[in-house]
Amino acid sequence: MADQLELTDKEIIRLAIIWLAKAIKDETITKLQDTPKLSQDSLAKQWSQTHKGEPSKLTRLKASAKAAYQKAEALGQDKDKQLYEQRGLMMQQLGDQAQLTTIDAMLQLDADDLIDQIINDFKDTEALNQKEEEIFRIMISYQIWDEQLATEIWQQEQQRKQAEALEPEMTDEMLDEWLKGIKSR
């Protein structure tokens, strides 16, 4: 067959692997017979036996993961410090009797106003439909710069809203009956 298609053995093997991967992914192949499943531990042992004395290929990956973790930790600490400072400023504005929940609510209102201003400025330069505006709001609010992830969050929010719309709204009579049922237990 390789001769008929004028393909090398390597190309045939690549095509077979691609075909197998697609078939497994779309579940047209659900079981492979006479193929033993190897554990990660046995594969690691086998690799270490065939590559004795060689440095680990994961060293750079582990170093990158550690650096990314440290960077994320530093960003988190900076964000916490910034929030602490913002709370302090808001406490000075509201006075000593302000509670932490009030302060956080005021900070959230300020953040929402800023997000609205950013979106309005952006809408002036770009023609956004309602969906794009909501996705953009998610990206800014959660500081997600991956549009696909923001779109997934938007879709989940739409599904949640649809599910809530299908649920009957709790009336006073329904609430009274529910409370009577709890009291009678």
Side-chain angles (χ1 to χ4, degrees), residues 4 9 16 28 66 70 73 80 88 108 116 122 128 148 172 178:
Q4 293 173 347
D9 291 339
T28 54
K66 184 177 179 181
Q70 289 172 342
E73 183 179 29
D80 289 345
Q108 185 61 43
D116 287 340
F122 190 75
L128 296 179
Q148 182 178 358
D172 289 339
W178 181 71

Side-chain angles (χ1 to χ4, degrees), residues 84-128:
Y84 183 77
E85 290 170 357
Q86 288 175 339
R87 283 178 173 170
L89 291 172
M90 189 61 71
M91 283 179 75
Q92 288 176 353
Q93 291 175 358
L94 295 176
D96 293 337
Q97 69 273 14
Q99 294 182 349
L100 193 56
T101 54
T102 306
I103 292 168
D104 286 344
M106 296 294 289
L107 289 172
Q108 185 61 43
L109 284 173
D110 289 345
D112 289 344
D113 290 343
L114 178 61
I115 289 171
D116 287 340
Q117 181 62 43
I118 291 170
I119 288 174
N120 287 334
D121 291 347
F122 190 75
K123 280 174 38 178
D124 290 342
T125 60
E126 300 288 327
L128 296 179

Side-chain angles (χ1 to χ4, degrees), residues 18-171:
I18 290 169
W19 172 80
L20 184 62
K22 283 185 178 182
I24 290 172
K25 187 175 182 179
D26 66 13
E27 296 181 358
T28 54
I29 295 178
T30 56
K31 186 174 182 180
L32 298 175
Q33 295 179 348
D34 300 327
T35 54
K37 186 173 183 177
L38 301 174
S39 70
Q40 293 293 322
D41 291 336
S42 65
L43 289 173
K45 286 178 186 175
Q46 183 182 12
W47 183 90
S48 65
Q49 289 173 353
T50 57
H51 295 87
K52 283 189 178 180
E54 289 183 24
S56 174
K57 303 216 187 262
L58 297 177
T59 305
R60 290 191 308 218
L61 180 64
K62 289 179 182 177
S64 295
K66 184 177 179 181
Y69 179 78
Q70 289 172 342
K71 183 178 178 182
E73 183 179 29
L75 286 172
Q77 289 174 350
D78 288 345
K79 198 171 190 176
D80 289 345
K81 183 179 176 185
Q82 186 180 29
L83 178 62
Y84 183 77
E85 290 170 357
Q86 288 175 339
R87 283 178 173 170
L89 291 172
M90 189 61 71
M91 283 179 75
Q92 288 176 353
Q93 291 175 358
L94 295 176
D96 293 337
Q97 69 273 14
Q99 294 182 349
L100 193 56
T101 54
T102 306
I103 292 168
D104 286 344
M106 296 294 289
L107 289 172
Q108 185 61 43
L109 284 173
D110 289 345
D112 289 344
D113 290 343
L114 178 61
I115 289 171
D116 287 340
Q117 181 62 43
I118 291 170
I119 288 174
N120 287 334
D121 291 347
F122 190 75
K123 280 174 38 178
D124 290 342
T125 60
E126 300 288 327
L128 296 179
N129 63 29
Q130 183 68 27
K131 176 183 174 185
E132 291 169 333
E133 182 181 333
E134 290 176 14
I135 291 171
F136 188 58
R137 182 179 300 280
I138 290 169
M139 291 173 71
I140 293 172
S141 298
Y142 298 113
Q143 296 182 359
I144 299 172
W145 309 122
D146 180 4
E147 188 172 348
Q148 182 178 358
L149 179 59
T151 302
E152 290 173 12
I153 292 171
W154 178 81
Q155 289 170 342
Q156 290 174 355
E157 182 67 18
Q158 296 305 309
Q159 290 172 353
R160 185 189 61 76
K161 286 179 182 177
Q162 288 175 351
E164 283 179 359
L166 295 176
E167 292 178 10
E169 200 167 309
M170 180 74 72
T171 63

